Amino acid sequence: MANLTLESIAKKAGVSRSTVSRVINDQPNVSQAVRDRVLDIVRETGYQPHQAARSLASRNTHVIGLVIPRSVQTFFADPYFQRLIQGIAEGCNHSDFTLSLFLIQDLQSEKKLIPRIMQRSQLDGIIIQATHLGDNIIPQIALGDVPLLVAGRPINSSAASYIDVDNVRGAQIAVEHLIGLGKQRIMTVTGALDTSVGVDRLEGYKKALRAHDLPYSKDWIVEGDFTETQAYQATGLLLAQKPDAIFCGSDVMAAGVLKRLRHEGIAVPDQVAVVGFDDLPPARLADPPLTTIRQPIRRFGLKAVETLIEIIHNPTFGQIRVIMETELVIRDSCGAKIATT
Amino acid sequence: MANLTLESIAKKAGVSRSTVSRVINDQPNVSQAVRDRVLDIVRETGYQPHQAARSLASRNTHVIGLVIPRSVQTFFADPYFQRLIQGIAEGCNHSDFTLSLFLIQDLQSEKKLIPRIMQRSQLDGIIIQATHLGDNIIPQIALGDVPLLVAGRPINSSAASYIDVDNVRGAQIAVEHLIGLGKQRIMTVTGALDTSVGVDRLEGYKKALRAHDLPYSKDWIVEGDFTETQAYQATGLLLAQKPDAIFCGSDVMAAGVLKRLRHEGIAVPDQVAVVGFDDLPPARLADPPLTTIRQPIRRFGLKAVETLIEIIHNPTFGQIRVIMETELVIRDSCGAKIATT
DNA sequence: GTGAAAGCGCTAACAG
DNA sequence: CTGTTAGCGCTTTCAC
């Protein structure tokens, strides 16, 4: 078993190293007989090609890097990332890529990691999580020659390829659902407004109200930061405006809103309806179960890997944008009558 | 900037390739003058060594793999893993290792991934999450020659090195805290009893009660599976036994217990006190805030990496066990009077 | 359809 | 202290 190389397989099969290489890499110009014989020996011996040697000779690594920028750490507590990582890992498995994870924690590790990440000799491609406005790691990395895909619409780098969910449309659907239920005073706790997610979902909220000629005022919109605690407090502000519904920029924030309403003795959905965004596991477990907008996050991860691989194979393609649709999931917190299913 | 190699740096510095190599690798036997000159050029040019070439020549990759076995996916929704990954990533950054993530999702990907993971030529070492009893991926991987550290006590592989938290002691402290508060009917929702975590925490529960000559019966112990939903249901069973306190095998399960008590109109902590285990973010946000046992999970990740690197450097050392201590965090759900802080 | 030969960029003896 | 010399295991022309 020890020290299996192409050479040793070749000897066993009575062929040359190149032929074995062709077989391993599924290349043409090998007779079926030879191919079968080699494949048998590979199976018997459990030979696995040496990845470093391969990379060195072929100049590609079969490794994809997932980069979580420093500024994202703030909401790294969000279960969103767990799912995202899961989807991306799954995509890598499908495509026989290895996933390397780069969690940037502070300026120091950023300084150290960026040059390493930007080397084509280390990584075939990068998926990087979109950041907030102030963080310009993405433009920085985009300067390099490693194929790059941003997960989420980058708020400060217009040229980079990205994959995103249609947040505007999703929020609009959520709010229109509330409108359809006869709500008149629909307010919102937004996500951080220096992120595209926060901005876009707020945009969808406004769009829905405008489309239905419903009024809203500045006081009906409170900026959150994607945390439950902050949303809990924001709810206090909204309550002064007597909402009959609250649209939340994320499920995590919806949890904070629900908790506040419970503490204030306000019935959900009877007095105030609540709708979230994301449909992460906590949504189903919320009290009451949360009506929310489902992001296809696992598929998002899969698609991200797929798209990145396309970019790797077609580096000259220019900017690519992939937008995925969302879906309304009706549970109890909005007060809609659910057809018996 | 293009195609920087050792050779090109060597030429610029007027020295040989080996000398540059020595400088890059912080090896002795280079005069300070030469070292400085080379270092300057490296900085100017932004040269980064080619990792594949390095691996091929030196037979080590500077990559460690974090493997999450298939059977763990069940509770991959647990925020525990997010934190664990964070700690391990941080440890890797400190030690200039790259982290590769292997999430095994199904039998098919397991078959494909295991041989790849087990190659020394791919990975310098592996951290693998402990599994439940039926999954023997760990013994399988332990057969290979890649340095291995299990995160959590492996329930079915006694020879492997591992790092764990003192779950028995932690649970014991939790229950003794309840005893100290005068509780007489302390029951428990355990974790899955085919995992060491589940078993050990139950063990600590029993130990505490025995040490204080308190009775408990089979009916006081209900097996959960680390999910909130299951814990919600389990609570129903316990309620028939009139508990005055419930110790939960994890924070996630404590959330289910709290929810059930709320729905039954039972006051926490006045009628029933609740204590969890983990101290993940949801604990602080629980309603009421959860008294729990804190796992030093970030430090756990750091220590795991550190320990694995030791094993890599010292492969002959035999089994290593690292046990980390836990800590009681008192919040509202246990009813202890908290000294004004 | 197959083999020989030349590297990929680096490390690691070995000389000096 | 520094340079020379072999490789590491694979891919990839180029002949045949």
Side-chain angles (χ1 to χ4, degrees):
Chain A
M1 278 289 280
N3 252 8
L4 247 23
T5 70
L6 259 199
E7 195 68 51
S8 62
I9 301 291
K11 206 179 311 172
K12 281 195 221 292
V15 295
S16 80
R17 195 171 31 172
S18 339
T19 301
V20 180
S21 174
R22 289 192 189 95
V23 172
I24 296 289
N25 294 299
D26 259 325
Q27 282 170 5
N29 293 335
V30 181
S31 72
Q32 194 57 46
V34 171
R35 192 181 292 275
D36 289 344
R37 183 148 40 95
V38 170
L39 246 24
D40 274 352
I41 294 179
V42 166
R43 232 169 335 231
E44 272 170 36
T45 55
Y47 166 75
Q48 296 270 129
H50 190 293
Q51 188 51 50
R54 239 175 169 176
S55 300
L56 184 56
S58 69
R59 332 203 57 68
N60 65 273
T61 62
H62 256 67
V63 177
I64 283 181
L66 173 60
V67 180
I68 310 289
R70 190 162 47 93
S71 64
V72 178
Q73 295 296 315
T74 334
F75 48 108
F76 194 70
D78 200 305
Y80 175 85
F81 292 98
Q82 205 155 338
R83 279 303 180 89
L84 179 67
I85 290 176
Q86 204 170 2
I88 290 179
E90 200 175 332
C92 286
N93 289 351
H94 280 314
S95 317
D96 288 313
F97 272 72
T98 296
L99 174 62
S100 284
L101 192 58
F102 299 90
L103 293 191
I104 303 180
Q105 317 150 63
D106 46 35
L107 207 58
Q108 194 196 347
S109 59
E110 180 170 315
K111 288 259 176 292
K112 206 157 74 176
L113 250 29
I114 288 186
R116 233 162 66 192
I117 289 169
M118 287 179 65
Q119 275 191 97
R120 269 288 336 221
S121 68
Q122 297 266 97
L123 250 30
D124 283 354
I126 296 177
I127 296 175
I128 183 166
Q129 168 64 34
T131 63
H132 67 55
L133 196 53
D135 187 343
N136 54 23
I137 185 172
I138 295 178
Q140 229 173 310
I141 290 188
L143 253 40
D145 57 349
V146 183
L148 182 64
L149 180 70
V150 183
R153 182 169 65 80
I155 198 167
N156 59 1
S157 175
S158 51
S161 291
Y162 66 87
I163 175 169
D164 201 4
V165 135
D166 193 340
N167 286 303
V168 175
R169 183 100 194 85
Q172 194 178 346
I173 290 171
V175 174
E176 281 177 346
H177 175 66
L178 289 168
I179 294 172
L181 293 170
K183 304 298 174 186
Q184 297 284 332
R185 303 179 61 81
I186 304 171
M187 311 194 179
T188 184
V189 181
T190 74
L193 293 180
D194 59 354
T195 68
S196 59
V197 172
V199 170
D200 291 354
R201 293 181 187 172
L202 173 57
E203 171 72 21
Y205 162 85
K206 290 181 179 170
K207 220 165 156 180
L209 293 182
R210 267 193 243 108
H212 292 259
D213 285 323
L214 283 175
Y216 65 86
S217 75
K218 287 241 152 62
D219 299 334
W220 290 21
I221 299 170
V222 179
E223 180 175 358
D225 63 358
F226 294 114
T227 69
E228 181 172 336
T229 308
Q230 168 75 17
Y232 183 93
Q233 285 159 4
T235 309
L237 265 43
L238 291 184
L239 251 22
Q241 308 295 319
K242 307 279 173 214
D244 57 10
I246 299 178
F247 166 63
C248 308
S250 79
D251 285 356
V252 170
M253 292 197 294
V257 170
L258 288 175
K259 196 204 253 183
R260 180 58 174 263
L261 293 174
R262 189 163 64 230
H263 286 181
E264 302 281 347
I266 296 172
V268 176
D270 294 343
Q271 293 174 268
V272 175
V274 175
V275 177
F277 203 119
D278 284 341
D279 196 31
L280 293 165
R284 180 176 282 104
L285 298 170
D287 196 5
L290 189 68
T291 293
T292 189
I293 299 295
R294 174 175 299 165
Q295 290 202 56
I297 175 163
R298 205 182 117 268
R299 282 193 295 119
F300 183 89
L302 290 172
K303 185 73 181 170
V305 172
E306 206 177 284
T307 308
L308 178 59
I309 292 177
E310 257 170 51
I311 297 176
I312 291 171
H313 291 148
N314 248 304
T316 54
F317 235 62
Q319 186 186 31
I320 293 186
R321 303 180 212 180
V322 179
I323 310 294
M324 303 189 75
E325 285 310 316
T326 57
E327 169 189 0
L328 176 68
V329 179
I330 299 178
R331 298 207 181 85
D332 299 344
S333 68
C334 64
K337 301 193 177 31
I338 306 176
T340 37
T341 42
Chain B
M1 277 290 280
N3 251 5
L4 247 23
T5 69
L6 258 198
E7 195 69 50
S8 63
I9 301 290
K11 206 178 312 169
K12 282 195 220 292
V15 296
S16 80
R17 194 170 32 169
S18 345
T19 301
V20 180
S21 174
R22 288 192 189 97
V23 172
I24 297 289
N25 294 299
D26 258 326
Q27 282 169 8
N29 294 336
V30 182
S31 72
Q32 195 57 46
V34 171
R35 191 180 295 273
D36 289 344
R37 183 147 42 93
V38 170
L39 245 26
D40 274 351
I41 295 178
V42 166
R43 233 172 331 233
E44 273 169 37
T45 55
Y47 166 75
Q48 295 270 128
H50 191 293
Q51 189 50 52
R54 237 177 171 173
S55 299
L56 184 56
S58 69
R59 332 205 57 69
N60 65 272
T61 61
H62 255 67
V63 176
I64 74 181
L66 173 59
V67 179
I68 310 289
R70 189 162 45 94
S71 64
V72 177
Q73 296 295 314
T74 335
F75 49 108
F76 193 69
D78 200 306
Y80 175 85
F81 292 98
Q82 205 155 337
R83 279 304 180 86
L84 179 67
I85 290 176
Q86 204 169 4
I88 290 179
E90 199 175 332
C92 286
N93 288 352
H94 279 314
S95 316
D96 288 311
F97 271 72
T98 296
L99 174 63
S100 283
L101 193 57
F102 298 89
L103 292 192
I104 303 180
Q105 317 148 62
D106 46 35
L107 207 57
Q108 194 196 347
S109 60
E110 180 171 315
K111 289 258 174 293
K112 205 157 78 176
L113 251 28
I114 289 186
R116 230 160 71 192
I117 289 169
M118 287 178 65
Q119 277 190 91
R120 266 296 326 228
S121 68
Q122 298 265 98
L123 252 28
D124 284 354
I126 296 177
I127 297 175
I128 184 166
Q129 168 64 35
T131 63
H132 68 53
L133 195 54
D135 186 343
N136 55 24
I137 185 172
I138 296 178
Q140 228 172 310
I141 291 188
L143 251 40
D145 57 349
V146 183
L148 183 63
L149 180 71
V150 183
R153 181 170 65 80
I155 198 168
N156 59 1
S157 176
S158 51
S161 292
Y162 66 87
I163 175 168
D164 201 3
V165 135
D166 194 339
N167 285 304
V168 176
R169 183 103 194 87
Q172 193 178 347
I173 290 171
V175 174
E176 281 176 348
H177 174 66
L178 289 168
I179 295 172
L181 293 169
K183 304 298 175 186
Q184 297 284 332
R185 304 179 62 80
I186 304 172
M187 312 194 178
T188 184
V189 180
T190 74
L193 293 180
D194 59 354
T195 68
S196 59
V197 171
V199 169
D200 291 354
R201 292 180 188 172
L202 174 57
E203 170 73 21
Y205 162 85
K206 290 181 179 170
K207 219 166 158 181
L209 292 182
R210 268 193 242 109
H212 291 259
D213 285 323
L214 284 175
Y216 65 89
S217 76
K218 287 240 151 62
D219 299 334
W220 289 22
I221 299 170
V222 178
E223 181 175 358
D225 63 357
F226 293 115
T227 69
E228 181 173 335
T229 308
Q230 167 75 16
Y232 184 92
Q233 284 157 5
T235 309
L237 266 43
L238 291 184
L239 250 23
Q241 307 295 320
K242 308 280 172 211
D244 58 10
I246 299 178
F247 166 63
C248 308
S250 78
D251 285 356
V252 170
M253 293 197 293
V257 170
L258 288 175
K259 196 204 254 184
R260 179 61 174 261
L261 293 174
R262 189 163 64 230
H263 287 178
E264 302 281 347
I266 296 172
V268 176
D270 294 342
Q271 293 174 269
V272 175
V274 175
V275 177
F277 203 117
D278 284 342
D279 197 32
L280 293 166
R284 181 177 283 106
L285 299 170
D287 195 5
L290 189 68
T291 293
T292 189
I293 299 296
R294 173 174 301 165
Q295 289 202 55
I297 175 164
R298 205 182 118 269
R299 280 194 295 120
F300 183 89
L302 290 171
K303 185 73 182 171
V305 173
E306 206 177 285
T307 307
L308 178 59
I309 291 176
E310 257 171 50
I311 296 177
I312 291 171
H313 291 150
N314 248 304
T316 55
F317 235 61
Q319 186 186 31
I320 294 186
R321 302 179 214 182
V322 180
I323 310 293
M324 303 189 75
E325 285 310 316
T326 58
E327 169 190 1
L328 177 67
V329 179
I330 298 178
R331 298 205 180 86
D332 298 343
S333 69
C334 65
K337 303 192 177 30
I338 306 176
T340 37
T341 40

